[in-house]
DNA sequence: CGTGCTATATGAGGTAGGTCACACAGACCT
DNA sequence: AGGTCTGTGTGACCTACCTCATATAGCACG
């Protein structure tokens, strides 16, 4: 039962960021401060703060570079910091003890994560792992809380953020329970398209089929077969480590279908 | 494809509560005010407020009785009120257009619901339907928001509540994606046991197998077969509209298993 | 340039759980 | 008593998806 199971996730750079931060994180230097500010401003969470407030917040922030495959925090850790992604992508996963994992969310630059454990002081509910090299903005719990205390309006923004998260969670729960694989895959691709290549003619998603399968809660093989079927229809192109979406519309069609009964899934 | 499908949910008392409130809701009369206060106090959301604050909050509240099968609000409705359950049970469901539904949560007396749409002013994300006759405490959006404004500490409590909801959602997502039917069923039963009959020797859960199947995202038949298997083991007893749990421990065993591979599910 | 390593591709076969069909039993209604 | 309704019990299928096994192709690095 509690046999020491082989960790399936090949241990890439499994270095806790806690040490990484301690060693290499630096106070944000004067120069890129304005850049940090615009990053934070992109988030609705901080969008309405005035310049002085943003500067104060940024003064708390440190930046850190982490290579791909690094675990930022693990389920059960104390939540000591809030993160914002300056560049790179992060996956939020819930590990099951037997090596499987459900990918909860994929985040990219501009996104904030790690706020829940930070806010309620309880342990992390999920793992956060970099899927590419990332540059992160880190705000320590203590600093963030004092900032919030002196800026009460931020509390309302936090509430909005949490509500948005809950809405998102509710949608995804619904999707996971009610929809079949083709529908979930189509929707996931569309989501990734929207997030990354902004309105390119043929948006390219950079993700392996293995990752994709974890996001869907399916197997790599099933994902592969479905992707190939769509490739045969010229709706997408598959290449190593990525997918080119040639017909967003077709995917949207499939994503909109009720996956009940004979949905024409090819 | 878009053929007009027969609405599966038999229309019970499909009366919107909006009219119900308008007609029959009453200002909470003086007498049971203290009772309302204790109800609200049970919620961590309001537990730390002092007497005067609670009284003010209660003065905003109205109560209303609704029969079983009533839709309190539907997905897409504007979120104009916050609800607390004084008695009865409510299910929060996300409907899929073809009549299937995923039951997101089952709530009972003491629980609060409807806070998300209320807080961010966006449409309801789910339906709320009474499964038994209910007595509800209703606080209108306007009243609640003014109350929060004049009691800033409540904002922090709200944040805690939302964090708890998110943790819960994350757990259930994980469960829905990773665990198989017996495990999910066992856990669901345990959850229902904990919520209802407080530490009875043989806790009885009052729920139909059909409802149960919707909570799990499974079919009634599958649920029935699993329950019968467990009944054969004397772990539970099945009777019309309810389940008696004879061995909480056994269910806990099953609920703890990793549902991967051959988990001995009988 | 061979030797791994990672990502993709695909077939064969198994199974959990869905679908459909029907039977039966208690509850309630007249 | 008989009819109707809701909830339960069960068998006969069916299929979407998983599991396992094996193949191939790009890429990285000595």
């Amino acid at each position: 039962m509690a046999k020491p199971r082989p960790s399936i996730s090949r241990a890439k750079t499994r270095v806790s960021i806690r040490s990484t931060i301690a060693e290499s994180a630096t106070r944000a230097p004067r120069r890129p401060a304005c850049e940090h500010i615009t990053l934070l401003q992109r988030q609705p969470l901080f969008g309405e703060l005035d310049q002085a407030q943003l500067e104060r917040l940024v003064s708390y922030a440190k930046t850190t570079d982490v290579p791909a495959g690094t675990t930022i925090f693990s389920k059960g850790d104390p939540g000591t910091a809030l993160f914002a992604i300056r560049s790179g992508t992060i996956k939020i996963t819930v590990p099951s003890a037997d090596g499987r994992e459900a990918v909860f969310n994929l985040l990219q630059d501009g996104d904030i994560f790690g706020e829940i454990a930070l806010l309620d002081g309880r342990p992390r509910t999920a793992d956060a792992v970099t899927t590419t090299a990332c540059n992160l903005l880190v705000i320590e719990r203590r600093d963030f809380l004092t900032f919030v205390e002196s800026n009460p309006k931020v509390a309302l923004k936090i509430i909005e953020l949490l509500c948005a998260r809950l809405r998102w969670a509710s949608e995804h729960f619904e999707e996971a329970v009610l929809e079949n694989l083709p529908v979930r895959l189509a929707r996931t691709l569309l989501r990734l398209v929207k997030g990354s290549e902004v309105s390119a003619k043929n948006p390219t998603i950079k993700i392996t089929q293995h990752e994709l399968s974890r996001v869907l809660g399916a197997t790599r093989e099933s994902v592969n077969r479905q992707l190939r079927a769509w490739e045969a229809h010229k709706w997408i192109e598959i290449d190593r480590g990525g997918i080119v979406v040639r017909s967003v519309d077709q995917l949207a069609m499939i994503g909109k279908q009720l996956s009940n009964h004979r949905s024409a899934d090819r």
Side-chain angles (χ1 to χ4, degrees), chain A residues 231-251:
Chain A
E231 192 184 40
H233 287 271
K234 312 273 187 201
W235 298 344
I236 62 171
E237 274 167 41
I238 301 173
D239 49 50
R240 196 185 169 80
I243 293 159
V244 183
V245 177
R246 300 215 77 92
S247 170
V248 173
D249 294 349
Q250 279 294 346
L251 292 186

Side-chain angles (χ1 to χ4, degrees), chain A residues 110-132:
Chain A
D111 287 332
I112 284 179
F113 67 97
E115 73 283 348
I116 298 162
L118 183 114
L119 287 168
D120 67 4
R122 315 206 54 229
R124 299 286 187 196
T125 45
D127 297 354
V129 180
T130 56
T131 56
T132 68

Side-chain angles (χ1 to χ4, degrees), chain A residues 8-145:
Chain A
I8 281 190
S9 62
R10 320 164 203 53
K12 292 185 182 177
T13 325
R14 264 203 67 101
V15 177
S16 166
I17 200 170
R18 289 188 293 286
S19 53
T20 312
I21 289 177
E23 291 155 18
S24 71
T26 54
R27 282 265 144 189
R30 280 284 72 79
R31 207 161 15 88
C34 55
E35 180 202 334
H36 292 172
I37 289 175
T38 39
L39 176 80
L40 291 179
Q41 256 173 340
R42 286 230 304 280
Q43 277 299 122
L45 183 51
F46 302 118
E48 286 176 20
L49 297 176
D50 65 33
Q51 197 68 13
Q53 289 171 317
L54 279 171
E55 269 171 28
R56 172 137 170 261
L57 184 60
V58 164
S59 76
Y60 292 140
K62 303 168 187 176
T63 60
T64 179
D65 281 301
V66 288
T70 309
T71 298
I72 309 288
F73 55 73
S74 298
K75 186 172 179 173
D77 288 354
T80 57
L82 175 72
F83 300 87
I85 306 177
R86 297 220 301 154
S87 68
T89 62
I90 300 261
K91 62 174 175 180
I92 306 296
T93 73
V94 275
S96 112
D98 59 2
R100 291 181 301 167
E101 58 172 15
V103 175
F104 209 80
N105 205 350
L106 293 175
L107 306 172
Q108 10 201 214
D109 57 279
D111 287 332
I112 284 179
F113 67 97
E115 73 283 348
I116 298 162
L118 183 114
L119 287 168
D120 67 4
R122 315 206 54 229
R124 299 286 187 196
T125 45
D127 297 354
V129 180
T130 56
T131 56
T132 68
C134 285
N135 184 270
L136 302 177
L137 208 58
V138 186
I139 302 178
E140 292 294 325
R141 178 183 168 84
R142 185 185 44 249
D143 296 334
F144 185 71
L145 293 185

Side-chain angles (χ1 to χ4, degrees), chain A residues 144-166:
Chain A
F144 185 71
L145 293 185
T146 48
F147 178 76
V148 172
E149 267 165 38
S150 59
N151 296 276
K153 284 174 75 174
V154 174
L156 297 180
K157 285 292 164 187
I158 291 172
I159 288 175
E160 273 177 40
L161 174 73
L162 293 175
C163 285
R165 291 268 201 267
L166 271 165

Side-chain angles (χ1 to χ4, degrees), chain A residues 170-188 191 216-218 253-261 263:
Chain A
S170 145
E171 259 177 52
H172 282 250
F173 178 84
E174 171 187 0
E175 195 173 296
V177 170
L178 294 176
E179 311 293 1
N180 62 13
L181 189 142
V183 172
R184 270 148 49 218
L185 180 54
R187 291 192 189 173
T188 302
R191 238 173 265 131
L216 300 178
M253 285 273 301
I254 293 167
K256 245 174 277 177
Q257 310 200 347
L258 312 167
S259 67
N260 198 16
H261 297 143
S263 64

